[in-house]
Amino acid sequence: MLFPALHASLRHTKIPIMSDSSSPNQLEGLKKFTTVVADTGDFESIKKYEPQDSTTNPTLIFKAVQQAEYKPLLDKVIADNKGSSLSGTALNRKIIDDLLIAFGKEILAIVPGRVSTEVDARLSFDTEATIEKARYLIGLYEKVGIPRERVLIKIASTWEGAQAAEVCEKEGIHCNLTLMFSLPQAIACAEAGVTLISPFVGRIYDYYKSTTGKEYVGADDPGVQSVGKIYTYYKKYGYKTQVMGASFRNVGEILELAGCDLLTISPDLLAKLQETPGSVEKKLDAEAAKSANVERIENTEKSFRWLLNEDPMATDKLADGIRKFAADIEKLEAIIAKSL
């Protein structure tokens, strides 16, 4: 285990348990402790569950444009670009950027808060190109009347991604660092002053279930433990960066993280929470975390790369996540190419 002292401190930190006994269902109870974010590109689901924010990714957008109700959005973006002087790959990428903004604009007409829009995953190891793309996407939003305060630019939490986000944040471009699987990634992002991070609970669970053959439930879930470590470290050392647990496999993971700053949840799990009556207990508490016995960890490029290298799960899932998001962007480009 990479951080035994931190793990031990979390096991023995006493967190005051709070419950919400007045809520008609678990979704309403969760909202009293945590900002709920919809993890979807489906407008109807966003309307139904009334989240504060919404987040998308290349996979969600790719799935959405294959549905009949969203195809007109893609068709309009393609039609608007018919007279473009661009061609080939450059035109495809412009259409994708325009599509991201089109989805974001529609989502922001529904949610009161922010939408997360992702930078091309193929730029995950290119700091300058990521900064350039972030500036471009924010510029597109501002052209259609959306202020940058309502947008989070999603960037993979590589070392290069964290450095790009630091520049963006200084320019007032708020960032959501995604594909996060480890504390070193989280520390690099916090030191860069990013607005938000999205540690992936379910993909960590998948890795350990696959490699050990064990089922993990509740507080024993390695993904839940990872977010708990990050949350405790952030609150202990007073970082402004917020933690948004993401990529859930079941309701149990969500309930174990009640009290986290934000949780982004898919429509099927939002439905289960809404359909389940009962109270919700607060499991993460900022004040309790401040007294945790947690050692501060050095944040340099060398330490980041070494600690990430020493974590087989994080190394594997970060690379796998980048590859999968890049593959879905390429699939989206293929759909667009056929329509031109």
Side-chain angles (χ1 to χ4, degrees):
M1 186 175 295
L2 261 180
F3 307 110
L6 178 56
H7 182 68
S9 72
L10 284 168
R11 280 203 316 258
H12 298 103
T13 297
K14 293 184 178 180
I15 297 178
I17 299 300
M18 300 173 64
S19 65
D20 171 44
S21 57
S22 62
S23 297
N25 60 62
Q26 290 181 334
L27 180 58
E28 291 305 313
L30 181 66
K31 286 181 178 180
K32 295 184 186 303
F33 303 130
T34 293
T35 297
V36 172
V37 179
D39 192 10
T40 180
D42 178 10
F43 305 150
E44 292 307 313
S45 293
I46 297 170
K47 291 176 184 176
K48 182 176 181 180
Y49 300 111
E50 300 180 340
Q52 174 68 21
D53 298 344
S54 184
T55 182
T56 63
N57 62 45
T59 302
L60 295 174
I61 297 296
F62 170 65
K63 289 179 179 178
V65 298
Q66 296 180 82
Q67 299 175 35
E69 58 266 43
Y70 299 111
K71 191 171 184 299
L73 202 61
L74 175 59
D75 291 342
K76 182 180 185 306
V77 171
I78 291 173
D80 289 344
N81 279 279
K82 285 289 187 182
S84 174
S85 60
L86 299 174
S87 62
T89 300
L91 178 58
N92 277 355
R93 292 183 179 178
K94 182 179 185 300
I95 289 172
I96 287 176
D97 288 338
D98 289 349
L99 183 64
L100 293 175
I101 272 60
F103 265 88
K105 185 179 178 182
E106 292 291 333
I107 289 169
L108 287 172
I110 303 169
V111 302
R114 304 168 297 190
V115 68
S116 289
T117 297
E118 193 143 349
V119 165
D120 191 324
R122 293 169 295 190
L123 304 178
S124 296
F125 301 102
D126 190 330
T127 299
E128 290 305 318
T130 297
I131 295 168
E132 183 180 344
K133 179 65 77 172
R135 289 168 177 161
Y136 179 70
L137 292 172
I138 282 294
L140 291 180
Y141 270 114
E142 291 179 331
K143 283 181 181 178
V144 295
I146 304 296
R148 60 181 58 194
E149 290 76 22
R150 297 200 67 196
V151 179
L152 291 170
I153 298 298
K154 286 180 79 175
I155 300 170
S157 53
T158 58
W159 178 261
E160 293 82 2
Q163 305 318 297
E166 182 171 19
V167 174
C168 290
E169 290 283 354
K170 290 175 180 176
E171 296 179 4
I173 301 172
H174 302 301
C175 298
N176 172 357
L177 272 286
T178 187
L179 292 174
M180 179 170 291
F181 305 97
S182 67
L183 186 57
Q185 290 174 280
I187 294 170
C189 294
E191 292 286 346
V194 306
T195 298
L196 186 72
I197 60 166
S198 297
F200 279 21
V201 177
R203 296 195 195 188
I204 296 176
Y205 165 85
D206 293 343
Y207 177 90
Y208 283 105
K209 181 180 178 182
S210 174
T211 55
T212 67
K214 296 179 182 178
E215 279 286 353
Y216 297 92
V217 179
D220 292 328
D221 188 310
V224 169
Q225 292 176 358
S226 179
V227 176
K229 291 174 188 177
I230 292 168
Y231 179 90
T232 298
Y233 192 92
Y234 274 20
K235 304 312 176 187
K236 169 72 176 180
Y237 291 107
Y239 290 111
K240 74 176 184 69
T241 302
Q242 291 190 304
V243 181
M244 180 171 73
S247 173
F248 293 104
R249 297 294 178 258
N250 54 67
V251 167
E253 291 175 332
I254 295 168
L255 296 179
E256 283 297 327
L257 293 174
C260 194
D261 299 318
L262 307 95
L263 297 174
T264 181
I265 306 170
S266 62
D268 61 322
L269 294 179
L270 286 170
K272 289 180 181 179
L273 287 165
Q274 190 175 69
E275 292 163 2
T276 305
S279 63
V280 172
E281 294 182 345
K282 187 176 184 181
K283 298 297 182 78
L284 298 183
D285 184 87
E287 287 304 313
K290 290 176 183 178
S291 62
N293 181 22
V294 178
E295 182 181 352
R296 194 150 200 163
I297 297 168
E298 180 184 26
N299 176 59
T300 64
E301 182 176 356
K302 289 179 180 179
S303 65
F304 173 91
R305 296 196 187 282
W306 175 250
L307 291 173
L308 188 62
N309 180 75
E310 288 298 281
D311 187 336
M313 176 276 298
T315 299
D316 178 81
K317 299 311 290 184
L318 174 59
D320 181 62
I322 291 171
R323 284 194 300 268
K324 286 179 176 176
F325 280 171
D328 284 331
I329 294 170
E330 289 168 2
K331 291 174 188 175
L332 189 54
E333 287 177 342
I335 291 175
I336 292 167
K338 288 180 181 179
S339 301
L340 289 173

